[in-house]
Amino acid sequence: MTYKAGVVGAAGFAGIELVRLLARHPEFELVAATSDALAGTPIAKAYPAFTGVTDLAFSTHEETDLAACDVAFLAVPHKAAMAVAGDLIAAGVTVIDLSADFRLKDPAVYEQWYAPHTAPELLAQAAFGLPELTGDELAAAAERRAAGEAVLVGCAGCYPTATSLAAAPAIRAGLVDAAAPVVADAVSGVTGAGKKATERTHFCFANENMEAYGVGTHRHTPEIEQILGLQGRLVFTPHLAPLNRGLLSTVTLPLALGAAPSTEELVALYRDFYAASPLVSVMDAGVQPRTASVAGTCRAQVGVAVHPAGLIVATGAIDNLGKGAAGQGVQCANIVFGLPETCGLEEIANPV
């Protein structure tokens, strides 16, 4: 059975990556791609990579019959998603949201970091979309959808995905000091900031430059704390790198009293943890993840090592538009619709 899919906000970087994935997905048929700014423009004219791939044109949000879709992917800014998700779900459309609107479980926390939440009833029912770590929520959503209910998934953000995949196995195994701070330093490509250029992301400022931003104030902080159970203990510092796409997070975790694993033991623990996760690869001891090795894919690479100062250093590499956004959205949709989670996501990064 083929399911009809629409992408709201399809002209942005995450949106057009969704278009790329859905255009060749064997089970989802892309029938709508909305963009008020580019309405009426063929996708292949705005993005020539789609020449010979699709004849679909962008359409306005208002004129597109998204209610005719089985699933709608929302690639829109925060606040915009919660304004449209309710009507779509009421129309029987399953919603996969790539924004921050349905990630945080507590509306008070959302308000602290974003704005007052206008759809808290939807927030309460949303499944969190990070399959390797919240598979139980997605499995429950799949059961509800199979019973005829339209469901809502709030997909994890890019920084939380790479950071949490790197840190979760050690934390959940009880190897990390439950009172000490955890430090995450992460570097992202410029597409993570969205399509509209700013003084930070304009080529002339981003090229040949590295800088930290949002120090102590970045909005992904509470999401990472929620996933990893680190409330009030996370020191998260994001950095902008002169890359188109790619994200690397290095997490420093203090070992719990009495814990003394070797690097080899940690690698074995991580491989066991991700044994049923086909899109996560744990590197050999002494080998570190590379963003180039996952670019253009929904794959993640994770590395882990013991530091002699009584620390675990865990690293996670993803494509911020792939596993960090569009690919993760498709992976979650696959699960919710009862498909293999890797369906349409089998890409291997270019080796060179």
Side-chain angles (χ1 to χ4, degrees):
M1 179 178 179
T2 300
Y3 301 100
K4 295 185 183 299
V7 177
V8 180
F13 288 148
I16 203 63
E17 181 74 354
L18 277 166
V19 170
R20 183 178 79 91
L21 294 174
L22 295 170
R24 56 183 180 175
H25 195 286
E27 302 296 339
F28 292 125
E29 178 190 359
L30 181 65
V31 297
T34 80
S35 168
D36 285 346
L38 294 180
T41 303
I43 292 173
K45 182 176 181 180
Y47 289 93
F50 291 95
T51 301
V53 176
T54 180
D55 296 326
L56 194 65
F58 293 108
S59 56
T60 67
H61 304 321
E62 292 74 16
E63 294 174 352
T64 304
D65 184 16
L66 291 169
C69 294
D70 298 295
V71 58
F73 294 86
L74 306 185
V76 294
H78 71 274
K79 295 194 291 186
M82 60 178 144
V84 300
D87 288 341
L88 289 170
I89 292 171
V93 181
T94 284
V95 173
I96 309 293
D97 178 33
L98 271 58
S99 84
D101 282 359
F102 299 105
R103 295 172 185 164
L104 297 173
K105 302 295 187 182
D106 186 343
V109 175
Y110 182 91
E111 181 171 354
Q112 177 186 349
W113 291 86
Y114 292 92
H117 205 289
T118 59
E121 72 286 353
L122 294 179
L123 189 65
Q125 73 182 54
F128 188 82
L130 182 47
E132 294 79 9
L133 302 181
T134 62
D136 53 344
E137 292 189 39
L138 291 168
E143 291 179 1
R144 298 200 309 272
R145 200 213 65 83
E149 179 182 344
V151 299
L152 170 62
V153 176
C155 294
C158 53
Y159 282 126
T161 293
T163 301
S164 300
L165 290 176
I171 291 174
R172 295 189 181 184
L175 295 176
V176 177
D177 187 328
V182 168
V183 177
D185 292 313
V187 183
S188 176
V190 180
T191 52
K195 185 178 179 182
K196 185 176 181 180
T198 68
E199 288 191 5
R200 178 179 286 120
T201 63
H202 189 290
F203 176 83
C204 293
F205 298 118
N207 188 46
E208 297 292 336
N209 181 57
M210 281 277 290
E211 65 176 293
Y213 66 98
V215 178
T217 62
H218 197 277
R219 289 170 168 174
H220 279 164
T221 300
E223 184 182 345
I224 300 170
E225 291 181 338
Q226 175 182 278
I227 298 168
L228 297 176
L230 296 175
Q231 282 73 12
R233 295 197 290 124
L234 177 69
V235 182
F236 172 59
T237 306
H239 302 73
L240 185 70
L243 305 168
N244 281 351
R245 52 201 296 168
L247 191 155
L248 181 71
S249 185
T250 300
V251 191
T252 303
L253 306 130
L255 279 165
L257 184 65
S262 66
T263 293
E264 290 75 15
E265 287 171 335
L266 281 177
V267 168
L269 182 150
Y270 270 58
R271 286 185 169 156
D272 182 64
F273 187 94
Y274 289 121
S277 301
L279 294 175
V280 177
S281 297
V282 178
M283 313 304 287
D284 290 338
V287 180
Q288 290 297 315
R290 304 173 70 230
T291 59
S293 297
V294 294
T297 78
C298 190
R299 300 180 185 276
Q301 289 186 347
V302 174
V304 65
V306 174
H307 190 283
L311 306 167
I312 294 172
V313 179
T315 51
I318 63 171
D319 182 326
N320 57 288
L321 294 180
K323 182 61 174 159
Q328 184 132 272
V330 173
Q331 184 183 4
C332 290
N334 285 340
I335 294 169
V336 167
F337 279 82
L339 305 171
E341 66 180 281
T342 59
C343 190
L345 298 172
E346 295 87 358
E347 298 98 333
I348 299 171
N350 292 331
V352 178

Coordinates of all heavy atoms in Angstrom, one line a residue, residues 61-129:
H61 N 0.2 27.1 1.2 CA -0.3 26.3 2.3 C -1.8 26.2 2.2 O -2.4 25.2 2.5 CB 0.1 26.9 3.6 CG 1.6 27.1 3.7 ND1 2.5 26.2 3.3 CD2 2.4 28.1 4.3 CE1 3.8 26.6 3.5 NE2 3.7 27.8 4.2
E62 N -2.5 27.4 2.0 CA -3.9 27.5 2.0 C -4.6 26.7 0.9 O -5.7 26.1 1.1 CB -4.4 28.9 2.0 CG -4.0 29.7 3.3 CD -2.5 30.1 3.3 OE1 -1.8 30.0 2.3 OE2 -2.1 30.5 4.4
E63 N -4.0 26.7 -0.3 CA -4.6 26.1 -1.4 C -4.3 24.6 -1.6 O -4.9 23.9 -2.4 CB -4.2 26.8 -2.7 CG -4.7 28.2 -2.8 CD -4.1 29.0 -4.0 OE1 -3.2 28.4 -4.6 OE2 -4.5 30.1 -4.2
T64 N -3.5 24.1 -0.7 CA -3.1 22.6 -0.8 C -4.1 21.8 0.1 O -4.3 22.1 1.3 CB -1.7 22.4 -0.3 OG1 -0.8 23.3 -1.1 CG2 -1.3 21.0 -0.5
D65 N -4.6 20.7 -0.5 CA -5.5 19.9 0.2 C -4.7 18.8 1.0 O -4.6 17.7 0.6 CB -6.5 19.2 -0.8 CG -7.5 18.4 -0.1 OD1 -7.7 18.5 1.2 OD2 -8.2 17.5 -0.7
L66 N -4.1 19.3 2.1 CA -3.4 18.4 2.9 C -4.2 17.3 3.6 O -3.7 16.3 4.0 CB -2.6 19.2 4.0 CG -1.4 20.0 3.4 CD1 -0.9 21.0 4.5 CD2 -0.3 19.2 2.9
A67 N -5.5 17.6 3.7 CA -6.4 16.6 4.3 C -6.6 15.4 3.5 O -7.0 14.3 4.0 CB -7.8 17.3 4.6
A68 N -6.2 15.4 2.3 CA -6.2 14.3 1.4 C -5.0 13.4 1.6 O -4.9 12.3 1.0 CB -6.3 14.7 -0.1
C69 N -4.0 13.8 2.4 CA -2.8 13.1 2.6 C -3.0 12.1 3.8 O -3.8 12.3 4.7 CB -1.6 14.0 3.0 SG -1.1 15.1 1.6
D70 N -2.2 11.1 3.8 CA -2.1 10.2 4.9 C -1.2 10.7 6.0 O -1.4 10.5 7.2 CB -1.7 8.8 4.5 CG -2.6 8.1 3.5 OD1 -3.8 7.8 3.9 OD2 -2.2 7.9 2.3
V71 N -0.2 11.4 5.5 CA 0.8 11.9 6.5 C 1.3 13.3 6.0 O 1.5 13.5 4.7 CB 2.0 11.0 6.6 CG1 2.7 10.7 5.3 CG2 3.1 11.5 7.6
A72 N 1.5 14.2 6.9 CA 2.0 15.5 6.6 C 3.3 15.8 7.4 O 3.3 15.6 8.6 CB 1.0 16.6 6.9
F73 N 4.3 16.1 6.7 CA 5.6 16.5 7.4 C 5.7 18.0 7.5 O 5.5 18.7 6.5 CB 6.8 16.0 6.5 CG 6.9 14.5 6.4 CD1 6.2 13.8 5.5 CD2 7.7 13.7 7.3 CE1 6.3 12.4 5.3 CE2 7.8 12.3 7.2 CZ 7.1 11.7 6.2
L74 N 5.9 18.5 8.7 CA 5.9 19.9 8.9 C 7.4 20.3 9.1 O 8.0 20.0 10.1 CB 5.1 20.3 10.2 CG 3.7 19.8 10.3 CD1 3.0 20.3 11.5 CD2 2.9 20.2 9.0
A75 N 7.9 21.1 8.1 CA 9.2 21.6 8.1 C 9.1 23.1 8.2 O 9.6 23.9 7.3 CB 10.0 21.2 6.9
V76 N 8.5 23.6 9.3 CA 8.2 25.0 9.5 C 8.8 25.4 10.8 O 9.2 24.6 11.7 CB 6.7 25.3 9.5 CG1 6.1 25.0 8.1 CG2 6.0 24.4 10.6
P77 N 9.0 26.8 11.1 CA 9.5 27.2 12.3 C 8.6 26.9 13.5 O 7.4 26.6 13.4 CB 9.6 28.8 12.1 CG 9.5 29.0 10.7 CD 8.7 27.8 10.1
H78 N 9.2 27.0 14.7 CA 8.4 26.8 15.9 C 7.3 27.8 16.0 O 7.4 28.9 15.4 CB 9.3 26.8 17.2 CG 9.8 28.2 17.5 ND1 11.0 28.7 17.0 CD2 9.4 29.2 18.3 CE1 11.2 29.9 17.5 NE2 10.2 30.2 18.3
K79 N 6.2 27.5 16.6 CA 5.0 28.2 16.7 C 4.1 28.0 15.4 O 2.9 28.0 15.6 CB 5.2 29.7 16.9 CG 5.8 30.0 18.3 CD 5.7 31.5 18.7 CE 6.5 32.4 17.8 NZ 6.5 33.8 18.3
A80 N 4.7 27.9 14.3 CA 3.9 27.6 13.1 C 3.3 26.2 13.1 O 2.2 26.0 12.6 CB 4.7 27.9 11.8
A81 N 4.1 25.3 13.6 CA 3.6 23.9 13.6 C 2.4 23.7 14.4 O 1.4 23.0 14.1 CB 4.8 22.9 14.0
M82 N 2.4 24.2 15.7 CA 1.3 24.0 16.6 C 0.1 24.7 16.1 O -1.0 24.4 16.5 CB 1.7 24.4 18.0 CG 2.1 25.8 18.2 SD 2.4 26.1 20.0 CE 3.7 27.3 19.9
A83 N 0.2 25.7 15.2 CA -0.9 26.4 14.6 C -1.7 25.5 13.6 O -2.9 25.8 13.4 CB -0.5 27.7 14.0
V84 N -1.0 24.6 13.0 CA -1.7 23.8 11.9 C -1.9 22.3 12.3 O -2.7 21.6 11.7 CB -0.9 23.9 10.6 CG1 -0.8 25.4 10.2 CG2 0.5 23.3 10.7
A85 N -1.1 21.8 13.2 CA -1.1 20.4 13.5 C -2.5 19.9 14.0 O -2.9 18.8 13.6 CB -0.1 20.0 14.6
G86 N -3.2 20.7 14.8 CA -4.5 20.2 15.3 C -5.5 20.0 14.2 O -6.2 19.0 14.2
D87 N -5.6 20.9 13.2 CA -6.5 20.7 12.1 C -6.2 19.5 11.3 O -7.1 18.8 10.8 CB -6.6 22.0 11.3 CG -7.2 23.2 12.0 OD1 -8.0 23.0 12.9 OD2 -7.0 24.3 11.5
L88 N -4.9 19.3 11.1 CA -4.5 18.1 10.3 C -4.9 16.8 11.0 O -5.5 15.9 10.4 CB -3.0 18.2 10.0 CG -2.6 19.2 9.0 CD1 -1.0 19.3 9.0 CD2 -3.0 18.9 7.6
I89 N -4.6 16.8 12.3 CA -5.0 15.5 13.0 C -6.5 15.3 13.1 O -7.0 14.2 12.9 CB -4.4 15.6 14.4 CG1 -2.8 15.5 14.3 CG2 -4.9 14.5 15.3 CD1 -2.1 15.8 15.6
A90 N -7.2 16.4 13.2 CA -8.7 16.3 13.2 C -9.2 15.8 11.9 O -10.3 15.2 11.8 CB -9.3 17.7 13.5
A91 N -8.5 16.1 10.8 CA -8.9 15.6 9.5 C -8.4 14.2 9.2 O -8.6 13.7 8.1 CB -8.3 16.6 8.4
G92 N -7.7 13.6 10.2 CA -7.3 12.2 10.0 C -5.9 12.1 9.5 O -5.5 11.0 9.0
V93 N -5.1 13.1 9.4 CA -3.8 13.1 8.9 C -2.8 12.9 10.0 O -2.8 13.7 11.0 CB -3.5 14.4 8.1 CG1 -2.1 14.4 7.5 CG2 -4.6 14.7 7.0
T94 N -1.9 12.0 9.8 CA -0.8 11.8 10.8 C 0.2 12.9 10.5 O 0.6 13.2 9.4 CB -0.2 10.4 10.6 OG1 -1.0 9.4 11.2 CG2 1.2 10.3 11.3
V95 N 0.7 13.5 11.6 CA 1.7 14.6 11.5 C 3.0 14.3 12.0 O 3.2 13.8 13.2 CB 1.1 15.8 12.3 CG1 2.1 17.0 12.3 CG2 -0.2 16.3 11.6
I96 N 4.1 14.5 11.2 CA 5.4 14.3 11.6 C 6.1 15.7 11.6 O 6.3 16.3 10.6 CB 6.2 13.4 10.7 CG1 5.5 12.1 10.4 CG2 7.6 13.2 11.2 CD1 5.4 11.2 11.6
D97 N 6.3 16.2 12.8 CA 6.8 17.6 13.0 C 8.3 17.7 13.2 O 8.8 17.1 14.1 CB 6.0 18.3 14.1 CG 6.5 19.7 14.3 OD1 6.8 20.4 13.3 OD2 6.5 20.2 15.5
L98 N 9.0 18.5 12.4 CA 10.4 18.7 12.5 C 10.8 19.9 13.4 O 11.9 20.1 13.6 CB 11.1 18.8 11.1 CG 11.5 17.5 10.5 CD1 10.3 16.5 10.3 CD2 12.2 17.8 9.1
S99 N 9.8 20.7 13.8 CA 10.1 21.8 14.6 C 10.2 21.5 16.0 O 10.1 20.3 16.4 CB 9.0 22.9 14.4 OG 7.9 22.6 15.3
A100 N 10.4 22.5 16.9 CA 10.5 22.2 18.3 C 9.2 22.2 19.1 O 9.1 21.9 20.3 CB 11.4 23.3 19.0
D101 N 8.1 22.4 18.4 CA 6.8 22.6 19.0 C 6.3 21.4 19.8 O 5.5 21.6 20.8 CB 5.7 23.0 18.0 CG 5.8 24.4 17.6 OD1 6.7 25.1 18.1 OD2 5.1 24.9 16.7
F102 N 6.6 20.2 19.5 CA 6.1 19.0 20.2 C 7.2 18.1 20.7 O 7.0 16.9 20.9 CB 5.2 18.2 19.2 CG 4.0 19.1 18.8 CD1 4.0 19.6 17.5 CD2 2.9 19.4 19.6 CE1 2.9 20.4 17.1 CE2 1.9 20.2 19.2 CZ 1.9 20.7 17.9
R103 N 8.3 18.7 21.0 CA 9.4 17.9 21.6 C 9.4 17.9 23.1 O 9.7 16.9 23.7 CB 10.8 18.5 21.1 CG 11.0 18.3 19.6 CD 12.3 19.1 19.2 NE 12.5 19.1 17.8 CZ 13.3 19.9 17.2 NH1 14.0 20.8 17.9 NH2 13.5 19.9 15.9
L104 N 9.2 19.1 23.7 CA 9.3 19.2 25.2 C 8.0 18.8 25.8 O 6.9 19.2 25.4 CB 9.7 20.6 25.5 CG 11.0 21.1 25.0 CD1 11.2 22.6 25.3 CD2 12.2 20.3 25.6
K105 N 8.1 17.9 26.8 CA 6.9 17.3 27.4 C 6.2 18.3 28.3 O 4.9 18.3 28.4 CB 7.3 16.1 28.2 CG 8.0 15.0 27.5 CD 7.1 14.4 26.4 CE 7.7 13.2 25.8 NZ 6.9 12.6 24.7
D106 N 6.9 19.3 28.9 CA 6.3 20.2 29.8 C 6.1 21.5 29.1 O 7.0 22.2 28.7 CB 7.3 20.4 31.0 CG 6.7 21.3 32.1 OD1 5.7 22.0 31.9 OD2 7.2 21.2 33.2
P107 N 4.8 22.0 29.0 CA 4.5 23.3 28.3 C 5.2 24.4 29.0 O 5.5 25.4 28.4 CB 3.0 23.4 28.3 CG 2.5 22.4 29.4 CD 3.6 21.3 29.4
A108 N 5.4 24.3 30.3 CA 6.1 25.4 31.0 C 7.5 25.6 30.6 O 8.1 26.7 30.5 CB 6.0 25.2 32.5
V109 N 8.2 24.4 30.3 CA 9.6 24.4 29.9 C 9.6 25.0 28.4 O 10.5 25.8 28.1 CB 10.2 23.0 29.9 CG1 11.6 23.0 29.3 CG2 10.2 22.5 31.3
Y110 N 8.6 24.6 27.6 CA 8.5 25.2 26.3 C 8.4 26.7 26.3 O 9.1 27.4 25.6 CB 7.4 24.6 25.5 CG 7.3 25.1 24.1 CD1 7.9 24.4 23.0 CD2 6.5 26.2 23.8 CE1 7.8 24.9 21.7 CE2 6.5 26.7 22.5 CZ 7.1 26.0 21.5 OH 7.0 26.5 20.2
E111 N 7.5 27.2 27.2 CA 7.3 28.6 27.3 C 8.6 29.3 27.8 O 8.9 30.4 27.3 CB 6.2 28.9 28.3 CG 5.9 30.4 28.4 CD 4.6 30.7 29.2 OE1 3.9 29.7 29.5 OE2 4.4 31.9 29.4
Q112 N 9.3 28.7 28.7 CA 10.6 29.3 29.2 C 11.6 29.5 28.1 O 12.3 30.5 28.0 CB 11.2 28.4 30.3 CG 12.5 28.9 30.8 CD 13.1 27.9 31.8 OE1 12.5 26.9 32.2 NE2 14.4 28.1 32.1
W113 N 11.7 28.6 27.1 CA 12.7 28.6 26.1 C 12.2 29.2 24.7 O 13.0 29.6 23.9 CB 13.3 27.2 25.9 CG 14.1 26.8 27.1 CD1 13.7 26.2 28.2 CD2 15.5 27.0 27.2 NE1 14.7 25.9 29.1 CE2 15.9 26.4 28.5 CE3 16.5 27.5 26.5 CZ2 17.2 26.4 29.0 CZ3 17.8 27.5 27.0 CH2 18.1 27.0 28.2
Y114 N 10.9 29.1 24.5 CA 10.3 29.5 23.2 C 9.2 30.6 23.4 O 9.5 31.8 23.2 CB 9.8 28.3 22.5 CG 10.8 27.4 22.0 CD1 11.2 26.3 22.8 CD2 11.5 27.5 20.8 CE1 12.2 25.4 22.4 CE2 12.5 26.6 20.4 CZ 12.8 25.6 21.2 OH 13.8 24.7 20.8
A115 N 8.0 30.2 23.7 CA 6.9 31.0 23.8 C 5.8 30.2 24.5 O 5.9 29.0 24.6 CB 6.4 31.5 22.4
P116 N 4.7 30.9 24.9 CA 3.5 30.1 25.4 C 3.1 29.1 24.4 O 2.9 29.4 23.2 CB 2.5 31.2 25.7 CG 3.2 32.4 25.9 CD 4.4 32.3 25.0
H117 N 2.8 27.9 24.9 CA 2.3 26.8 24.0 C 0.8 26.9 23.8 O 0.1 26.9 24.7 CB 2.7 25.4 24.5 CG 2.8 24.4 23.4 ND1 1.7 23.9 22.8 CD2 3.9 23.8 22.9 CE1 2.2 23.0 21.9 NE2 3.5 22.9 22.0
T118 N 0.4 27.0 22.5 CA -1.0 27.2 22.2 C -1.8 25.9 22.0 O -3.0 25.9 21.7 CB -1.2 28.1 21.0 OG1 -0.5 27.5 19.9 CG2 -0.6 29.5 21.3
A119 N -1.1 24.7 22.0 CA -1.8 23.5 21.8 C -1.3 22.4 22.8 O -0.8 21.4 22.4 CB -1.6 23.0 20.4
P120 N -1.4 22.7 24.1 CA -0.9 21.8 25.1 C -1.5 20.4 25.1 O -0.9 19.4 25.5 CB -1.1 22.5 26.5 CG -2.2 23.5 26.2 CD -2.0 23.9 24.8
E121 N -2.8 20.4 24.6 CA -3.4 19.1 24.6 C -2.8 18.2 23.5 O -2.7 16.9 23.7 CB -4.9 19.2 24.2 CG -5.3 19.7 22.8 CD -4.9 21.1 22.5 OE1 -4.6 21.9 23.5 OE2 -5.1 21.5 21.3
L122 N -2.2 18.8 22.5 CA -1.5 18.0 21.5 C -0.1 17.6 22.0 O 0.4 16.5 21.7 CB -1.4 18.8 20.2 CG -2.7 19.0 19.4 CD1 -2.4 19.8 18.1 CD2 -3.3 17.7 19.0
L123 N 0.5 18.5 22.7 CA 1.8 18.3 23.3 C 1.8 17.0 24.2 O 2.7 16.2 24.2 CB 2.2 19.5 24.2 CG 3.6 19.5 24.7 CD1 4.7 19.6 23.6 CD2 3.8 20.7 25.7
A124 N 0.7 16.8 24.9 CA 0.5 15.7 25.8 C 0.4 14.4 25.1 O 0.8 13.3 25.6 CB -0.7 15.9 26.7
Q125 N -0.1 14.4 23.8 CA -0.2 13.1 23.1 C 0.9 12.9 22.1 O 0.9 11.8 21.5 CB -1.6 13.1 22.4 CG -1.6 14.1 21.1 CD -3.0 14.1 20.5 OE1 -4.0 14.3 21.1 NE2 -3.0 13.8 19.2
A126 N 1.8 13.8 21.9 CA 2.8 13.6 20.9 C 3.8 12.6 21.3 O 4.3 12.6 22.5 CB 3.5 15.0 20.6
A127 N 4.2 11.7 20.4 CA 5.3 10.8 20.6 C 6.6 11.5 20.2 O 6.7 12.3 19.3 CB 5.2 9.6 19.7
F128 N 7.7 11.3 21.0 CA 9.0 11.9 20.8 C 9.7 11.1 19.8 O 9.9 9.8 19.9 CB 9.8 12.0 22.1 CG 11.0 12.8 21.9 CD1 11.0 14.2 21.9 CD2 12.2 12.2 21.7 CE1 12.1 15.0 21.8 CE2 13.4 13.0 21.6 CZ 13.3 14.3 21.6
G129 N 10.2 11.7 18.7 CA 10.8 11.0 17.6 C 12.3 10.9 17.6 O 13.0 11.6 16.9

